[in-house]
Amino acid sequence: MEFSRRVLTQMTLLNRINALIGGSFCFFWAHGCLAGENLPPFQLSSNVVEFGIVEESVVHAKSIELKNLTDETVEVSAVVSSCSCTDFKLSNKTMRPRSAITIRVEFTPQNRSGFAESQGLIQVERQGNKSLLPVTVSAWVAPPSGFKVDREVVHFGFVGDQPEMVKIRVYGEQADLPDASLPVETRGVRARVLKPVAFDPVSFPGLYQLDLEVSLNAKKNVGSSHTVLNFTGRKGEASVPVVWKTKAPLDTYPTAFYLGNLRNGSKPFQLKICGVEGLDIFLEKGLFEIYQKEFIQGTCLVIDGRIRKRGTQSEGLLNDRIVIYKKQKGEPVGYVPVAAYESSVAIEDLP
């Protein structure tokens, strides 16, 4: 997968600069050619330059070698990079037969943290033909806090009664890995921290990853809600919002009421609630009065009655919502929006 991803990235870069360099070319890896000749006339000592853990705004350098395996003198005619953070400096642009030059790869990350990767292409001309050799430069840029969280927000989406879990990954040197905590008042959300493990001892020695399992038990939460997962490390802090929207453990028919123009009168309504026993309702803002009668229809509670405006509120749009709650515990388990308007003038009801 990693090899394929880099091939696609480099081929995309190749297409973008094709118009710039022009002409026919052969696309080489460090030890092979993707088009044209069977044997590569040029070789890179490595087409991947890994810097490991680096600091931001500091020049980091490594050297690779480019070999000319032909019996002719050739020229390095162009060097292109996908990022201004990467520079390729040649010891010599002219390569004598069966000789090599040194390429100093400089990486200077600015205004970035975490994993960084750039692509370079080195163009060599031989008898009017252009050969391209790709180079991948990678590093992990240590942020000021010493660690990097792999996501900006934990979003559980629209969840129901069953617990949900999302994984978070934090990267950093072992001594800089943070502790994770949730506000004391947070209910239904837990963060379980697993043991840190080495990320890639060969390419990124010293870099560790810390996995967290953030779980949500939404049984006691209705409507949209959120909290914050706080990270505290040796060098700094970070916060990641945790958001979710829960489904009430019941179905209502309809899901909302639009009553049109009350015209100083009342309107009939019927609300069917299925899925939970022992329920009752009230209007949250008290803008309306409900005259109701209840009966059971199969496994559903049916509330059949009339609704009218309460008090002498001025004319205009009225918005309220029916709160459905458990009789014994008094806990809200759902809401049904209610909207109407009142006008003494005969206005045609909207559908």
Side-chain angles (χ1 to χ4, degrees):
M1 288 295 294
E2 181 66 18
F3 177 82
S4 300
R5 183 180 67 82
R6 285 179 173 169
V7 169
L8 291 174
T9 302
Q10 290 157 344
M11 290 300 290
T12 301
L13 177 61
L14 177 65
N15 293 332
R16 292 174 60 184
I17 69 170
N18 188 19
L20 174 65
I21 61 178
S24 60
F25 56 83
C26 179
F27 192 50
F28 291 94
W29 294 99
H31 303 288
C33 180
L34 297 183
E37 305 174 23
N38 293 325
L39 295 175
F42 314 109
Q43 262 186 19
L44 284 170
S45 57
S46 176
N47 69 326
V48 178
V49 181
E50 295 174 328
F51 283 96
I53 302 174
V54 299
E55 295 182 18
E56 185 184 2
S57 304
V58 176
V59 179
H60 307 273
K62 284 189 175 184
S63 293
I64 56 176
E65 194 176 67
L66 173 59
K67 295 179 180 180
N68 175 16
L69 303 181
T70 73
D71 296 322
E72 304 168 23
T73 299
V74 297
E75 293 283 333
V76 178
S77 55
V79 179
V80 182
S81 175
S82 64
C83 174
S84 60
C85 60
T86 307
D87 193 16
F88 298 88
K89 295 183 177 180
L90 310 179
S91 61
N92 199 328
K93 290 186 177 181
T94 302
M95 300 176 63
R96 298 174 62 84
R98 304 290 171 177
S99 67
I101 63 172
T102 300
I103 302 175
R104 177 182 166 90
V105 183
E106 295 184 352
F107 178 65
T108 312
Q110 298 282 358
N111 301 320
R112 61 172 61 195
S113 62
F115 291 102
E117 186 175 273
S118 65
Q119 308 293 332
L121 284 174
I122 301 169
Q123 176 182 282
V124 183
E125 289 197 26
R126 175 194 177 201
Q127 297 180 351
N129 294 320
K130 301 179 178 69
S131 300
L132 296 177
L133 295 94
V135 180
T136 298
V137 179
S138 63
W140 193 83
V141 186
S145 63
F147 62 89
K148 181 76 173 180
V149 185
D150 72 344
R151 60 178 67 206
E152 296 181 353
V153 62
V154 177
H155 199 294
F156 282 99
F158 205 59
V159 300
D161 241 359
Q162 299 301 316
E164 302 276 342
M165 187 181 72
V166 173
K167 285 191 175 182
I168 302 179
R169 182 160 290 175
V170 184
Y171 299 95
E173 295 185 65
Q174 190 167 18
D176 296 330
L177 290 175
D179 295 324
S181 63
L182 291 159
V184 177
E185 65 273 13
T186 299
R187 297 177 60 189
V189 181
R190 296 182 60 188
R192 177 171 172 255
V193 181
L194 305 181
K195 184 179 179 180
V197 296
F199 174 69
D200 186 339
V202 177
S203 301
F204 298 93
L207 183 63
Y208 278 73
Q209 68 183 42
L210 179 69
D211 290 343
L212 292 86
E213 295 178 345
V214 182
S215 59
L216 167 66
N217 190 331
K219 287 186 177 180
K220 296 184 178 180
N221 296 303
V222 178
S224 298
S225 198
H226 67 279
T227 186
V228 176
L229 182 59
N230 297 309
F231 295 92
T232 305
R234 183 171 63 96
K235 294 181 179 178
E237 301 176 346
S239 296
V240 176
V242 181
V243 297
W244 65 90
K245 184 175 178 64
T246 60
K247 288 181 179 178
L250 77 165
D251 295 317
T252 63
Y253 308 93
T255 57
F257 287 110
Y258 176 70
L259 302 173
N261 187 5
L262 291 179
R263 294 179 187 166
N264 295 315
S266 62
K267 286 288 182 79
F269 79 97
Q270 186 179 84
L271 176 63
K272 183 183 291 187
I273 308 169
C274 305
V276 176
E277 297 180 354
L279 298 177
D280 205 347
I281 65 170
F282 68 89
L283 280 158
E284 187 174 55
K285 297 180 182 178
L287 297 182
F288 303 98
E289 291 179 328
I290 294 180
Y291 300 88
Q292 66 188 60
K293 57 181 179 180
E294 303 176 3
F295 59 94
I296 302 298
Q297 187 180 78
T299 59
C300 300
L301 169 67
V302 179
I303 300 174
D304 197 0
R306 299 186 68 85
I307 188 168
R308 72 177 184 183
K309 187 183 76 169
R310 180 190 294 272
T312 58
Q313 181 175 322
S314 60
E315 298 179 357
L317 183 65
L318 306 173
N319 285 297
D320 205 338
R321 62 179 183 173
I322 296 174
V323 180
I324 305 168
Y325 67 97
K326 293 182 179 180
K327 288 183 179 180
Q328 292 183 344
K329 297 183 178 181
E331 295 178 352
V333 292
Y335 302 92
V336 178
V338 180
Y341 70 92
E342 174 134 27
S343 174
S344 56
V345 181
I347 302 176
E348 182 178 356
D349 288 352
L350 296 176

